[in-house]
Amino acid sequence: MPAKIPATVVTGFLGAGKTTLIRHMLSNAEGKRIALIINEFGDLGVDGDILKGCGDETCSEDDIMELSNGCICCTVAEDFIPTLQKLLDRDQAPDHIVIETSGLALPQPLVRAFNWPEISTRVTVDGVVTVVDGKAVTEGRFAHDIAAVDAQRKLDENLDHETPLSELFEDQIACADMIVVNKSDLLSEDEITALTAKLRADSRDGVQVVKSTMGALPVDVLLGQGIGAESDMSARHEIHHHHHHDDDDDDHDDHHHDHDHDDFESFVVLRDEITDAKAFAEHLAEVIRDHDILRLKGFAAVQGKPMRLTLQAVGPRVDSYFDQPFGTGPRETKLVVIGQAGLDRAAIEAALRA
């Protein structure tokens, strides 16, 4: 049976920068088939060159369209599950599904919907990513334009209109697996440090807070795409973006301080078989918390099991399931670790092999 397709939920208030984040992701998808489930095509504000000849008029409510870069786009029709099934039943299933929500309804019911028997064997929740407007939050608001957020809420009869926005914001932070502080270029280093500390204090243990400017985050960080793939990952000790002098530590001039992408690193850890899948997943969660790991992905060989145990974690959420037999391949455990620059690689390797 094919591996489950990971799905990422992106939430946050209107104006936080979800659309910018998603557009950046789509334009850097590098041939990955990303399926996007959004409430309104209009929200995406994508230019004609990304949406192949598909204007709002021509797209019916439950249309699924192909975007020029291998992405698939669909609105949330009457119901989330049929939409998802339709996506999964396509000839070419997507590599990753990204679901954008308005941030006004809690993601929990959405995340629970993935347990539906029709789809639970085919999809897995990669993580909930909450995008916040760093400037607004630093200034003590939850959104740049609170009136606009409220207006959006009034338009939807399904939403609870009683809860103050401040509580909805707290909920977004509380259910996040990763928090992206957007518009970080508008803040001073001190403001960013203070805001990051506050958000980490208000979120669950192990949730990482990453900063972005104009929604530019490496796709590997946002989706962990292709991680654990046996391709060239083991040779790559870092997420390569732009030109890089291979591990040449003497050359510090090359670091572009204006570019987020140098703020992340990744490496591969190999280890022998493990004995207990459940205990190992719990151990991973602990290592992630202790070492501020953003994402961990890969697979493990479990003693006495012919199937490979696939593992993926975003912040404190660790998901594991047996996906396919090892076949003739070596029975090894191979994990890819991604985090913000400065990970204590030796300590993490030791902990993962413990």
Side-chain angles (χ1 to χ4, degrees):
M1 108 185 199
K4 295 189 189 188
I5 296 168
T8 299
V9 177
V10 177
T11 184
F13 286 145
L14 183 74
K18 298 188 299 289
T19 305
T20 322
L21 188 81
I22 288 170
R23 290 178 64 168
H24 178 269
M25 176 192 78
L26 292 181
S27 53
N28 291 278
E30 293 173 4
K32 302 253 186 279
R33 293 176 59 81
I34 296 175
L36 189 59
I37 297 181
I38 49 179
N39 287 306
E40 292 293 334
F41 284 128
D43 289 356
L44 199 58
V46 269
D47 1 18
D49 59 335
I50 294 192
L51 284 186
K52 276 197 310 206
C54 184
D56 287 339
E57 303 77 24
T58 55
C59 282
S60 70
E61 258 305 75
D62 52 5
D63 246 5
I64 293 185
M65 331 171 309
E66 203 78 38
L67 306 186
S68 54
N69 50 3
C71 304
I72 302 161
C73 205
C74 62
T75 47
V76 177
E78 278 316 284
D79 196 0
F80 177 64
I81 304 279
T83 302
L84 214 50
Q85 282 178 299
K86 203 158 139 186
L87 266 180
L88 295 170
D89 290 341
R90 288 178 62 116
D91 291 340
Q92 272 192 300
D95 297 316
H96 204 109
I97 298 171
V98 174
I99 302 154
E100 184 196 15
T101 77
S102 70
L104 293 168
L106 291 184
Q108 275 94 332
L110 189 61
V111 171
R112 277 200 298 274
F114 285 93
N115 296 323
W116 275 51
E118 296 92 320
I119 57 173
S120 65
T121 54
R122 304 169 70 188
V123 188
T124 170
V125 181
D126 189 53
V128 175
V129 176
T130 297
V131 184
V132 305
D133 178 333
K135 185 102 178 89
V137 179
T138 295
E139 290 165 359
R141 302 192 307 276
F142 314 105
H144 167 66
D145 185 343
I146 288 180
V149 174
D150 245 348
Q152 183 190 21
R153 175 158 67 164
K154 288 196 176 73
L155 290 173
D156 192 335
E157 321 71 270
N158 302 322
L159 293 174
D160 134 38
H161 295 163
E162 305 307 310
T163 313
L165 281 184
S166 57
E167 273 182 38
L168 283 173
F169 180 77
E170 283 167 20
D171 285 335
Q172 284 177 31
I173 299 304
C175 68
D177 296 308
M178 184 194 305
I179 298 170
V180 176
V181 176
N182 206 6
K183 308 186 193 176
S184 61
D185 52 323
L186 304 177
L187 302 177
S188 68
E189 279 303 315
D190 289 354
E191 286 174 322
I192 287 179
T193 306
L195 179 57
T196 300
K198 182 181 178 344
L199 290 171
R200 290 185 78 161
D202 294 343
S203 55
R204 290 168 302 147
D205 276 355
V207 171
Q208 293 301 296
V209 180
V210 297
K211 58 184 203 294
S212 74
T213 296
M214 297 304 294
L217 270 187
V219 177
D220 295 19
V221 169
L222 194 60
L223 305 182
Q225 280 279 56
I227 301 295
E230 294 78 334
S231 56
D232 62 344
M233 265 319 282
S234 51
R236 304 196 319 187
H237 295 306
E238 284 178 78
I239 296 176
H240 280 326
H241 285 274
H242 317 299
H243 50 288
H244 238 295
H245 297 288
D246 276 31
D247 301 336
D248 184 352
D249 290 334
D250 307 326
D251 189 358
H252 285 294
D253 311 327
D254 191 39
H255 282 272
H256 322 286
H257 291 290
D258 57 338
H259 221 293
D260 291 339
H261 294 191
D262 291 328
D263 295 347
F264 301 96
E265 58 182 321
S266 83
F267 54 86
V268 176
V269 180
L270 295 172
R271 62 159 290 165
D272 297 334
E273 292 196 353
I274 60 171
T275 49
D276 179 339
K278 189 167 176 292
F280 188 64
E282 285 167 11
H283 175 60
L284 288 186
E286 206 170 297
V287 177
I288 288 166
R289 270 200 306 275
D290 292 349
H291 294 280
D292 297 342
I293 293 168
L294 259 175
R295 281 189 161 272
L296 192 144
K297 232 170 184 180
F299 50 85
V302 183
Q303 266 173 24
K305 303 270 189 194
M307 302 286 276
R308 190 170 90 154
L309 180 71
T310 292
L311 295 148
Q312 56 177 12
V314 180
R317 184 192 296 276
V318 179
D319 195 13
S320 62
Y321 54 90
F322 288 100
D323 71 341
Q324 63 193 59
F326 274 99
T328 53
R331 287 183 58 87
E332 62 180 5
T333 295
K334 185 175 186 176
L335 302 168
V336 181
V337 175
I338 295 186
Q340 301 186 66
L343 290 175
D344 185 342
R345 184 169 173 176
I348 291 170
E349 288 188 2
L352 290 177
R353 291 190 180 126

